[in-house]
Amino acid sequence: MSELLLLTLIFFPSLVGLSLLAAPKKVHPYLGLISATSALFCCAIVGYLTLVPLNEPSISYEWFEQGFMRFSFLADGLALFFTLLITGMGVLVFFYANYLMDATDENIKKFYCYMNLFMSAMLGAVLANNLLLLFVFWELTGLMSYMLISYHYDNKSARTSSRLALLLNSLASLCLLLGIIIIAVLDQTLEITEVVSEEIIANVHSDWYIGVMILMLIGVFAKSAQFPFHFWLPQAMSAPTPVSAYLHSATMVKLGIYFLARTYPLFVDSPLWLPILTSVSITTILIGGFWALFATPLKRILAYATISQLGFFISFYGIGSPEGLHYDYIHMFNHALYKGSLFMLVGIMAHCASITNIHQLSKLYRKLPFTSIIFAVSLAAMAGVPGTTGFLSKELLIADIVSYYEQQSINFAVVLCLLLGLVFKVTFSFRLFYALFIDDSGEHAVVKSKPKKHLLIPPFILSFLALVFGIWPQALQALYSTYSIEGLHKPNAAAIDLWHGFSLNLIISLGFFSAGILLFFLIRNQYGLYDRLEKFGFVSYWDAFIDSLPKKSEQITSWVHSNSPQKNLYWIFILFIGFLGGGLLYIQPELFFKLQLTQVRVAEIFLLLSTCLIMIMNKPASRMISLSLVGTYITYYFVLKQAPDVAITQMVVEVATLFVFVLLLFSLKDRSKFKLDKGRGMLALVAGLTAASLPLLNNEIGHGDALGIYYLKNSITLALGNNAVNTILVDFRGLDTLGEIAVIAVAAISITALLGKKPNSRIINHDPWIATPIIKAIMPAIMFVASLFSIYLLVRGHNHPGGGFSAGMNLSISIVLGSMCLGNHPIIVWTKVHSLKLMMIGLFISLVSAVIPMIFSENFMTALFYNNIEIISTPFLFDFGIFILVQGAVMSILSVMRENTIAREVA
């Protein structure tokens, strides 16, 4: 039963919203009433869960255990209070929208769909007991807000406002997500109850504690429109009035407050909790209150007032004690009552009299008396006039401020700023009252039609509740007691009374009322100040930044990503040095100082000198020779390290590389000296040293049992081969090798396609390039010996140094060199061979060797031997495929390069 109720409460509005998309036109005038009925049903569930608490207030479904993702929901007092706000305000807003919105609008179905989806997302967010699940619903509220703010998408201001709200909240939400990920890694759970109760990150992983708190507070500040993210909320007033009344005063902006309350027990002990929350909230209170004093659009005034009030909520949690706090629900409940009513009334005024500006309110009470009375009651609740919930909320807030100041020595400046915020609140409340009932100098609005009585019902109910609860404090106290939870609230809260006698609190209350009214009369003629100050707001800078992004992106792209390979290499080297080199210096800086010169072998010294020669030499041929020396010393280094297989491979690759450079050298038109670029040389040197430090540091850092030891121990027993390098390539990690040779084939095909002038990739018949008699005489013998040596390397590779790669490289290079020296000599039998087809044949042979074991009910790529004969085995067949593929790849690349440089094409 409990599971069904909670799931119904969360997902029922979304089902209703999606079903409204299929509603016929004759139902459009009733879409708001249908949505209101849905919200009323959800509100009834909340009431039932309040009166009949669940035996198990949480439900949980396993989804992705490794990612700590669970469909986990919690229906405790905090969650139920917010669901009561969401569903209760939803009933009234949907009912209000049904009579305010144009039913003939072609997008009206989408409007109610988005509103219902938003309600569902809000319910999911406040009921979620998993941080990642909460984040999903958190982002859905932002997405639905974007869709609703941009409802009138043909209006430019709606488009820019929705873009601002979405981008700003999404960027801040990334910080929240990062904090959630850190908690998942450190706490090994994302269940909110476990994270808060166990406090692992606060006690065990205290180094991360402050960082996680700041990341999460950034998300809270953006969602609840706190400085410096506050400026998105006034811009969101481009949305239809029901959206402003629901999302941006009663629900979405309070989602950040909810998250703050939910994580309050976890972070309240942090030494930075009070400074961060009070500094941000007080700045927000003063900014919001100040702008509300001078703004002229009615919805903007209410938006800035909302920003200021949200700052009070944040500050209330900031100055709270670790033991808990009192009556936070009262402040939020009061705000929902008067702010929802005021937004609805402003919408009615715009609908009936096209009033959108405070100057147009003059004497409106004579034409719309009932609407004006409701407006006055809501303003009284906002200002904290006795007889309203605002008075009780204000008295509780003053009492808490004074109490915290006396008990915990809160900075006097904090207290003063909070009281100044209350003064601003009285001032902008009285400002609206004065414009409506007293001022006769403004524009006299023309009422086109009286508001329908149905439109007045929702704001009347809200203002009536503000009066009823204002004179019935026991009901407010019962509301608080019903939903208070352990850890967030102190037990045995003091009783809420209408009269506390003569005290310091009373003097403060009378003082800021008087100061607020006096401040109004001092600034009431400064309406033009808003227009002058608005250009200094963050919005203009944000819009300018967003509008400049395409151009700046092009500039950055042209700077970072260029058609010049050299510029691209600069960034690659810089990032390589910065991340890898910087990381090595940070992790193990002392290891760099352990590498003394006496520990470096002679080969390493000559290798370094050869590298420096490349930078010093200024002729292409000299640099080529220096580069060959580097390759030679690397080969020698591998020999010293007792890695003959790697040395052979390095040697044949070095020969092939040298051949490529020779071809490139002949293709250069201008063979003049190169000027040494000191910047490029230094960058190359540092990048090289960074790369060289990796294997050197690897020898210095201690390890456990290396994987290589496993290969050495099992090379003979499991792979039936003495050559560990070969058994690794064709047995233990044969699948990796299969993928790598496929990459070689793709690379060779790509190079041939880019450089080749003909679709065929064969060694082209030509006259000898080096036509000396001695070369022509000895080249056949050299090729014959090279071919035998290649076969020798191939056959012995499983037990001795060799293998398919080095054998294939050796044979292919000898054939290509022979063709360059012998031209059309009959010994060059490979002139009829298509090298690309040869690669495909080699790849096919290797793949067949991998599949053969499956025929004999073995695993893929299992080594099979016939009577332990080395050359009658799947590893040898795999090596033979590599041998064929490497020949084709090298021959295709070198022949295409030769074709583009020095060879004469034969038709």
Side-chain angles (χ1 to χ4, degrees), residues 354-371:
S354 299
I355 294 176
T356 59
N357 195 289
I358 192 172
H359 301 305
Q360 300 170 325
L361 289 177
S362 181
K363 302 297 183 180
L364 182 65
Y365 74 94
R366 295 176 180 175
K367 301 175 183 179
L368 299 176
F370 189 63
T371 302

Side-chain angles (χ1 to χ4, degrees), residues 394-581:
K394 177 258 302 177
E395 291 297 305
L396 290 171
L397 185 60
I398 293 176
D400 284 330
I401 293 174
V402 173
S403 175
Y404 287 136
Y405 178 70
E406 293 175 347
Q407 297 178 10
Q408 302 182 17
S409 300
I410 296 177
N411 193 305
F412 179 73
V414 174
V415 176
L416 186 62
C417 290
L418 289 173
L419 295 178
L420 181 59
L422 290 174
V423 171
F424 284 170
K425 190 176 179 182
V426 171
T427 302
F428 57 69
S429 300
F430 184 74
R431 180 189 177 204
L432 290 169
F433 178 83
Y434 185 87
L436 179 62
F437 291 97
I438 302 174
D439 189 16
D440 196 23
S441 61
E443 303 175 18
H444 291 265
V446 178
V447 177
K448 296 179 294 185
S449 61
K450 296 290 184 178
K452 299 177 182 179
K453 59 181 181 180
H454 302 89
L455 271 178
L456 293 172
I457 291 176
F460 171 77
I461 291 176
L462 292 173
S463 61
F464 179 73
L465 290 176
L467 286 176
V468 170
F469 283 102
I471 59 177
W472 187 16
Q474 293 78 12
L476 273 182
Q477 188 163 8
L479 175 72
Y480 164 77
S481 302
T482 300
Y483 294 112
S484 61
I485 62 173
E486 183 180 355
L488 176 62
H489 301 112
K490 290 181 180 179
N492 304 320
I496 305 176
D497 296 319
L498 290 175
W499 175 251
H500 295 278
F502 292 98
S503 62
L504 176 62
N505 295 355
L506 176 62
I507 296 174
I508 294 174
S509 180
L510 293 175
F512 76 72
F513 263 115
S514 302
I517 296 175
L518 177 62
L519 179 62
F520 165 74
F521 284 105
L522 292 175
I523 65 169
R524 67 181 179 130
N525 295 322
Q526 303 297 323
Y527 290 134
L529 185 63
Y530 174 75
D531 297 328
R532 295 195 297 270
L533 292 177
E534 192 173 25
K535 61 182 180 181
F536 296 106
F538 290 173
V539 177
S540 58
Y541 297 105
W542 173 270
D543 289 339
F545 169 72
I546 296 298
D547 293 337
S548 66
L549 276 182
K551 184 177 180 180
K552 291 187 180 298
S553 299
E554 291 179 1
Q555 294 174 349
I556 295 173
T557 301
S558 63
W559 185 44
V560 175
H561 181 71
S562 172
N563 292 329
S564 171
Q566 290 183 351
K567 290 184 178 180
N568 292 333
L569 286 174
Y570 287 157
W571 287 108
I572 293 175
F573 285 150
I574 289 172
L575 293 175
F576 175 75
I577 294 169
F579 286 100
L580 187 58

